[in-house]
Amino acid sequence: MISHKGGPLGTSTPAFKGLHVLAFRGLHVLTIRGLHVLTFRGLHVLAIRGLHALTFRGLHVLAFRGLRVLSFIGLHVLAIRGLHALTFRGMHVLTFRGLQVLTFRGLQVLTFRGLHVLAIRGLHVLAFKGLHVLLQRATRPCHQRAARPHL
């Protein structure tokens, strides 16, 4: 049996009351007074009083009370009390109590309780309870635009 400071490894040591340490073939575990740390082949985990953090090969996760955060190779996700946000390669998504918003390049989409709005490059579409409205920005060729007076 492997020992540390006079006691078997994995048990409390006289020098630090409540400290537990374990090391075995790349696995390292440490606990003391509510703090828990674990590492194993690139995996790192930390837990203390409701806070949990994990990292592994580009994946990062954090949880604390109602907050959840995840990050993985360009994907970022946040969730807290009904609010959810996501970003990935220029796309942004947000949801909160019936409101959904999406943006991607030139496209914006919003939905909320039966109202739907879509906008892309000067074209706007609004739909609500069977009513559909299409708004389009007036575009004229450059040679037809009125010349600006010089000030």
Side-chain angles (χ1 to χ4, degrees):
M1 175 161 290
I2 304 168
S3 65
H4 176 70
K5 296 239 182 203
L9 194 61
T11 62
S12 183
T13 61
F16 298 101
K17 193 169 187 174
L19 172 66
H20 301 269
V21 178
L22 173 83
F24 181 74
R25 293 188 181 181
L27 171 67
H28 299 87
V29 181
L30 178 139
T31 66
I32 184 170
R33 296 184 184 172
L35 169 67
H36 308 279
V37 179
L38 178 142
T39 64
F40 182 70
R41 295 184 182 175
L43 170 67
H44 306 279
V45 181
L46 178 133
I48 182 170
R49 295 183 183 170
L51 170 67
H52 298 82
L54 177 145
T55 65
F56 182 70
R57 295 184 183 175
L59 170 67
H60 306 279
V61 180
L62 182 124
F64 182 67
R65 296 185 182 167
L67 171 68
R68 306 285 187 263
V69 179
L70 179 139
S71 175
F72 183 68
I73 310 173
L75 170 67
H76 307 283
V77 180
L78 179 136
I80 183 169
R81 296 183 185 160
L83 170 69
H84 300 84
L86 176 143
T87 66
F88 182 69
R89 295 186 181 177
M91 178 179 66
H92 308 281
V93 178
L94 181 131
T95 66
F96 182 67
R97 295 185 181 173
L99 169 69
Q100 289 112 18
V101 179
L102 176 136
T103 65
F104 183 66
R105 297 186 180 164
L107 170 69
Q108 291 99 26
V109 179
L110 179 142
T111 65
F112 182 68
R113 296 184 182 173
L115 170 67
H116 306 280
V117 180
L118 178 136
I120 184 167
R121 296 185 189 157
L123 174 67
H124 297 75
V125 179
L126 184 135
F128 184 68
K129 293 187 178 179
L131 172 67
H132 296 77
V133 178
L134 173 69
L135 302 170
Q136 186 175 7
R137 191 178 338 154
T139 58
R140 295 187 295 185
C142 294
H143 67 276
Q144 291 181 354
R145 290 188 184 154
R148 290 186 174 176
H150 295 286
L151 300 175

